[in-house]
Amino acid sequence: MVATKTVLSLHRPLVLSTLLTTKRNSTILLLSTSTAKPTQQLAPNSAAAEAELAHYIKHLDSCIRSKSYAQAKNIHQQILASNANTATHIPDPLLLEKLVVLYSQCNETEHARELFDKIPQPNVFLWNAMIRSYSWNGPFDRAVALFRRMVSRGVAPNKFTFPFVLKACSALLSLEDGVEIHDRARRAGLESDVFVATALIDMYMKCGRLDEPRRVFSTMERRDVVAWNAMIAGFSLHGLYEEVTRFLLAMQRDGIDPNASTVVAVLPVVGQHKALRQGKSIHCFCIRRHIHRDDVLVCTALLDMYAKCELLGYAQRTFDSMRFRNEVTWSAMIGGYVLCDEIAKGLELFEQMVVDGASNMGSTSLACALRACARSGNSGRGRWIHCYSVKFGFLTDTTVGNSLLSMYSRVGSIDDALQFFSEMRTRDTVSYSAVISGCVQNGNATEAFSVFRKMQFTGVEPDVATMVGILPACSHLAALQHGKCSHGSVIVRGFASDVSVCNSLIDMYAKCGRIELAREVFDRMADPDTVSWNTIIAGYGIHGLGTDAVSLFRTMEDSGSSVPDGITFVSLISACSHSGLVAEGKHWFGAMTRKYNVVPRVEHYICMVDLLGRGGLLEEARGLIRNMPLEPDVRVWGALLGACRVHKNIEMGEEASRIIQSAGPEGTGSFVLLSNMYNAAGRFDEAARVRVVQREQGFRKSPGCSWVEIGGVVHAFVGGDGSHPESSSIYEKLENLSVEIRRLGYRADTSFVLHDVDEEEKERALLYHSEKLAIAFGILSLGRDVPILVTKNLRVCGDCHAAIKFITLAEKRAITVRDASRFHHFKDGECNCGDFW
DNA sequence: CTAGGGTTAG
């Protein structure tokens, strides 16, 4: 491009002579006179040059018309290189026009713009070409800016200008610009022009307004397929299945035949609604009209529709029958398998693509395949795709990069995710969000905060998903101050009415011990969805407020707007379980199937076993497992084992643990329980053996850890922790407390100690449990009137539970402990869980 | 026509 510039200016003097003789466009004169220098080379052959140029232009024009862009560019190069006749280097106005059109059509927008800017007074045609180029390739705001400049220069936009600039508005989702341009079109009397009106419909639809398209559509002087398609595509975009079918029928009644684009516009919403019958009839329509045979778009849309309807056989058959496939075809098919949980087949297809469809490989296909890896936990394949992306240059693509981040976090390799994240060249909001939620999912909420801070520092704007990602980090840490801060941020950014954000806020407040604030957020919601109800019900559950959870469920029923799902009943039954409402829980378990058509899944049996087990009905729990229609997995037996441990039923516990052990490595989470069980039974060798097996199989027991937020800073402790700067005073406080509570009647229950050590040692180990450290620090740091909330990642140990009750007496203050199961509100020597947790 | 990050339970 620099070269072009040089050439043009070098030969500028010639322009004058040529133009003076041809007088094609006097404006060029103005351009050139200011910089005109004495010529070193006159143009004796200007007539010949002119002829040659004319020849080139004609050739160029015909190439552009026949869309032979490569050839056209070639001609441009010839003109540039043609030293034989220097006159051909001139910025001839007609040549410039052709070149602007050429490069704008080739989507080399910048190049086109450079040439465009050399034309002092472009005509409408050129403005349109330039605006069109921006509206296709972006930057879209430039199309709008150019439109404005065009208008201010007094050039009247025509019926081609409006569609182009409106397309840019839809890309920008800028309703404001769109409305302004609509106004101009109206004043220009072009509002009901078929092209303009269609573009208006499209723009309004994309910007989320459905009333205006209907109005514009009704005022149109005539409606062609494209206009109908715009309406249908718009409704399809908003998932309005009924409207789509209504317009589809109306269109045919109006004598307009649906075409391939119609079909392509309709099928996504058909798939979305799993309207298989409709989908099949569209398929038939395609066959009748011969519009699907080699149309990649139609076939891909059909394939996708079948996949969304979970008819993978039909999808695959459509896929196989296609003579031509593109990236979308492959991606849709792979994505279909992933959607239907046929992960292995999805990966298989990806492998086939690597062999047979490599030319179609693109970032979307890679993203689909990476999603499959993430879902299957197949980190090997994921890494392979990482390598593939490096090899074939896909790594710079943010979609691929973000998929990799997600894949690594989903398979548990958060370190790899962080490593890759640090190496990424461009990190957008999605990248940050992926890493933040990745950290939280992998249990590292602190890291999530640090990434979040870095994000704000870098100036990448958080969006709704980012906030939904960071709020669980607050929930996890029970970091109320961080949570409130995030809530503030949510309000400032205008996300406060987003349903998912509210759901996360409800969860955050509930888990930070402020159930009343959770309720407030819930009550303010315009229309809570099922997740909202589930979250608030579970919130009451973990606070031991089972009765409130049940009454809330009844309200949900009455409201009728959200239908209870499987998770609702998990939340409800476990709420009953945490409050000892055994009969109530049983009732809802029965009603679940009878009244709500929710098929019990393993999760529900886990809750039931937990409910019965905690209530001491161990036999009944075991009976339930034996009679359950599903295969009980290790988690079910784990729930029984947990109950056996609480109720110290060694025999049944052993039975449960045998079954869990026979399941092999699957029983990861149960290792801890099992080991604790043996420890509680005094069988330290067996307990140790379990831990060895566990280690051999590569499972690390997450260490018991407790934390407390003081002034917005989370202080974490592990058992026997000496790393805290205040350690010496914490231990001193604990020693004093130990004396005090003993005086009040506390006796250590050493059966909770995990190691085979002598009694005195055991007592010391108990004294330094992480929850006690955090509590001691809380007492030291917080004023008497400030409530103490300590969070523990595992269940609070039984000895600590007993000790904390005495501590509330000794210190005359309330203490709240949130463990893996629920909140324990300790006060005046009692706990609201009633020793039932 | 496809595709990247997100909420609820145990």
Side-chain angles (χ1 to χ4, degrees):
Chain A
M1 268 179 217
V2 178
T4 320
K5 252 185 201 161
T6 328
V7 170
L8 285 168
S9 57
L10 265 177
H11 298 285
R12 180 133 311 147
L14 278 176
V15 178
L16 267 177
S17 53
T18 318
L19 285 166
L20 286 169
T21 52
T22 61
K23 295 193 183 89
R24 185 181 283 123
N25 188 339
S26 57
T27 55
I28 290 293
L29 265 174
L30 297 170
L31 171 84
S32 312
T33 39
S34 57
T35 49
K37 288 178 193 148
T39 36
Q40 74 273 55
Q41 204 183 350
L42 282 171
N45 55 345
S46 61
E50 180 65 18
E52 191 178 339
L53 183 65
H55 166 76
Y56 274 131
I57 291 176
K58 200 176 154 200
H59 199 171
L60 192 61
D61 192 41
S62 76
C63 289
I64 296 172
R65 275 172 206 281
S66 62
K67 298 195 162 73
S68 318
Y69 300 129
Q71 213 179 332
K73 284 188 201 170
N74 213 348
I75 294 165
H76 185 198
Q77 290 306 313
Q78 276 177 42
I79 296 173
L80 291 177
S82 147
N83 290 320
N85 189 342
T86 42
T88 55
H89 293 278
I90 59 161
D92 178 274
L94 192 59
L95 175 63
L96 270 179
E97 277 188 21
K98 297 294 172 208
L99 290 174
V100 168
V101 172
L102 167 66
Y103 287 107
S104 66
Q105 294 199 0
C106 288
N107 304 333
E108 289 179 34
T109 316
E110 284 312 309
H111 198 165
R113 180 61 187 262
E114 207 173 312
L115 296 162
F116 177 83
D117 284 341
K118 290 185 198 302
I119 303 171
Q121 282 188 18
N123 56 24
V124 200
F125 184 68
L126 284 176
W127 283 103
N128 286 353
M130 215 45 242
I131 293 174
R132 189 206 68 107
S133 192
Y134 281 126
S135 74
W136 281 29
N137 311 302
F140 303 110
D141 53 331
R142 289 228 184 158
V144 181
L146 214 56
F147 176 83
R148 293 222 173 89
R149 188 181 308 174
M150 171 185 186
V151 173
S152 73
R153 294 263 200 102
V155 182
N158 63 16
K159 64 174 182 177
F160 297 105
T161 324
F162 287 109
F164 293 150
V165 70
L166 284 167
K167 186 177 187 306
C169 296
S170 12
L172 288 166
L173 298 177
S174 168
L175 189 61
E176 210 180 310
D177 290 326
V179 169
E180 182 198 317
I181 289 157
H182 182 178
D183 196 46
R184 247 178 227 293
R186 192 184 296 126
R187 277 185 281 148
L190 289 167
E191 190 196 23
S192 47
D193 173 85
V194 197
F195 294 117
V196 178
T198 306
L200 281 168
I201 292 170
D202 179 70
M203 182 276 296
Y204 279 115
M205 287 291 196
K206 296 248 168 66
C207 294
R209 270 190 58 180
L210 302 173
D211 48 338
E212 203 54 22
R214 287 182 210 268
R215 200 191 61 73
V216 171
F217 189 72
S218 69
T219 62
M220 285 177 79
E221 46 203 26
R222 71 185 177 85
R223 301 179 190 98
D224 60 5
V225 212
V226 188
W228 282 98
N229 286 351
M231 288 303 280
I232 292 174
F235 289 131
S236 178
L237 184 72
H238 291 92
L240 300 169
Y241 179 67
E242 284 77 18
E243 290 292 42
V244 168
T245 34
R246 215 163 61 79
F247 269 73
L248 199 54
L249 287 174
M251 160 185 203
Q252 285 164 287
R253 232 181 290 123
D254 215 42
I256 304 288
D257 237 15
N259 63 8
S261 304
T262 323
V263 170
V264 170
V266 170
L267 283 171
V269 75
V270 172
Q272 224 179 76
H273 283 75
K274 301 189 187 249
L276 188 57
R277 279 182 67 93
Q278 177 75 293
K280 280 186 177 169
S281 83
I282 292 171
H283 194 173
C284 294
F285 175 85
C286 291
I287 295 167
R288 278 203 304 278
R289 304 296 165 96
H290 308 284
I291 51 174
H292 81 304
R293 292 211 55 84
D294 281 334
D295 190 317
V296 188
L297 265 69
V298 170
C299 289
T300 305
L302 281 169
L303 176 166
D304 180 59
M305 182 273 296
Y306 281 127
K308 296 251 160 68
C309 292
E310 294 175 55
L311 265 185
L312 286 175
Y314 279 51
Q316 180 73 56
R317 227 177 301 159
T318 310
F319 181 86
D320 291 337
S321 73
M322 291 168 73
R323 277 208 294 158
F324 307 106
R325 298 180 190 121
N326 63 16
E327 189 196 343
V328 183
T329 317
W330 286 94
S331 305
M333 196 62 235
I334 297 172
Y337 279 117
V338 177
L339 180 80
C340 300
D341 263 322
E342 299 255 13
I343 309 295
K345 283 202 176 162
L347 285 174
E348 204 177 290
L349 191 67
F350 173 73
E351 264 150 51
Q352 195 193 325
M353 184 177 183
V354 171
V355 180
D356 301 337
S359 61
N360 290 320
M361 188 65 77
S363 46
T364 309
S365 324
L366 290 169
C368 287
L370 282 168
R371 203 181 161 77
C373 300
R375 287 274 287 268
S376 67
N378 187 338
S379 67
R381 254 285 161 269
R383 272 173 219 281
W384 189 88
I385 295 174
H386 189 166
C387 297
Y388 185 94
S389 309
V390 173
K391 217 162 155 183
F392 294 99
F394 287 107
L395 216 57
T396 47
D397 185 297
T398 25
T399 301
V400 173
N402 295 339
S403 302
L404 279 166
L405 289 175
S406 163
M407 182 277 295
Y408 279 127
S409 8
R410 296 278 277 274
V411 300
S413 312
I414 185 67
D415 290 341
D416 289 305
L418 286 166
Q419 175 68 32
F420 180 70
F421 181 68
S422 71
E423 290 165 3
M424 277 175 90
R425 235 199 285 169
T426 45
R427 288 175 280 259
D428 60 7
T429 304
V430 177
S431 326
Y432 278 97
S433 308
V435 171
I436 288 170
S437 52
C439 289
V440 179
Q441 281 153 14
N442 285 276
N444 194 343
T446 317
E447 184 67 30
F449 279 119
S450 112
V451 175
F452 187 61
R453 266 192 298 274
K454 210 178 291 164
M455 176 180 189
Q456 287 167 311
F457 187 71
T458 324
V460 178
E461 282 296 312
D463 65 4
V464 165
T466 318
M467 298 316 288
V468 173
I470 196 71
L471 280 165
C474 310
S475 307
H476 184 248
L477 292 175
L480 183 62
Q481 314 219 25
H482 280 295
K484 282 186 169 169
C485 221
S486 305
H487 190 175
S489 182
V490 158
I491 294 166
V492 169
R493 290 172 201 283
F495 303 151
S497 52
D498 183 274
V499 180
S500 299
V501 169
C502 289
N503 295 346
S504 303
L505 282 169
I506 296 170
D507 184 61
M508 183 276 292
Y509 280 122
K511 295 218 174 109
C512 290
R514 303 298 296 270
I515 186 70
E516 77 284 1
L517 293 179
R519 181 61 185 262
E520 208 175 310
V521 173
F522 177 79
D523 285 341
R524 280 171 200 250
M525 286 179 77
D527 31 26
D529 64 1
T530 303
V531 175
S532 322
W533 288 98
N534 295 352
T535 311
I536 189 75
I537 290 174
Y540 279 108
I542 58 175
H543 280 270
L545 301 167
T547 324
D548 298 79
V550 171
S551 75
L552 213 57
F553 176 77
R554 291 218 161 89
T555 319
M556 176 185 191
E557 239 186 321
D558 296 339
S559 80
S561 52
S562 316
V563 183
D565 64 4
I567 295 176
T568 315
F569 288 97
V570 173
S571 306
L572 184 62
I573 297 168
S574 63
C576 294
S577 174
H578 291 316
S579 303
L581 304 172
V582 180
E584 183 90 43
K586 279 175 156 176
H587 164 74
W588 293 115
F589 181 71
M592 176 172 89
T593 328
R594 259 185 286 115
K595 211 170 147 194
Y596 302 91
N597 290 322
V598 175
V599 182
R601 298 192 309 158
V602 182
E603 281 78 7
H604 300 104
Y605 283 95
I606 297 169
C607 290
M608 282 309 288
V609 170
D610 194 52
L611 175 88
L612 299 169
R614 279 176 205 251
L617 305 171
L618 292 172
E619 286 298 341
E620 193 175 339
R622 181 161 62 183
L624 183 74
I625 298 176
R626 287 189 177 150
N627 292 322
M628 64 189 267
L630 298 153
E631 189 60 38
D633 67 8
V634 286
R635 295 170 304 165
V636 180
W637 291 107
L640 185 68
L641 178 57
C644 292
R645 189 189 172 228
V646 172
H647 294 283
K648 303 218 168 106
N649 185 331
I650 303 298
E651 289 86 325
M652 198 184 288
E654 276 186 324
E655 183 197 341
S657 56
R658 259 200 311 280
I659 294 165
I660 292 166
Q661 268 185 307
S662 66
E666 219 195 315
T668 55
S670 310
F671 279 114
V672 180
L673 271 175
L674 185 60
S675 166
N676 285 350
M677 164 78 207
Y678 279 126
N679 274 311
R683 301 188 183 179
F684 301 114
D685 294 347
E686 283 156 291
R689 197 172 50 80
V690 171
R691 289 189 182 270
V692 168
V693 173
Q694 176 196 349
R695 207 171 307 128
E696 278 170 354
Q697 293 178 349
F699 302 112
R700 267 175 302 151
K701 170 191 177 275
S702 48
C705 177
S706 302
W707 54 90
V708 57
E709 189 192 41
I710 311 279
V713 180
V714 176
H715 298 260
F717 301 87
V718 292
D721 199 336
S723 61
H724 195 274
E726 304 287 325
S727 252
S728 55
S729 32
I730 293 170
Y731 280 88
E732 193 187 322
K733 180 74 194 172
L734 270 183
E735 296 287 351
N736 295 341
L737 275 173
S738 153
V739 176
E740 186 76 1
I741 61 180
R742 234 181 259 262
R743 204 174 50 74
L744 291 165
Y746 159 81
R747 290 293 169 268
D749 178 353
T750 49
S751 72
F752 291 99
V753 185
L754 296 181
H755 310 287
D756 185 14
V757 283
D758 63 43
E759 286 298 314
E760 195 185 333
E761 274 295 302
K762 278 187 204 167
E763 270 194 49
R764 298 195 68 77
L766 283 175
L767 188 58
Y768 303 138
H769 268 179
S770 64
E771 49 267 56
K772 291 198 184 106
L773 293 171
I775 287 169
F777 186 60
I779 293 171
L780 288 171
S781 318
L782 297 170
R784 197 160 282 277
D785 49 330
V786 185
I788 295 179
L789 169 59
V790 164
T791 313
K792 183 170 182 182
N793 62 341
L794 307 174
R795 290 236 185 135
V796 63
C797 121
D799 174 71
C800 287
H801 195 268
I804 297 164
K805 289 199 274 191
F806 285 102
I807 293 174
T808 61
L809 291 175
E811 290 287 324
K812 299 189 179 54
R813 67 186 295 169
I815 294 169
T816 304
V817 177
R818 191 194 93 193
D819 72 358
S821 151
R822 56 164 286 171
F823 277 88
H824 300 265
H825 297 291
F826 296 93
K827 204 184 168 192
D828 304 326
E830 294 296 329
C831 178
N832 72 332
C833 76
D835 298 341
F836 192 87
W837 79 97

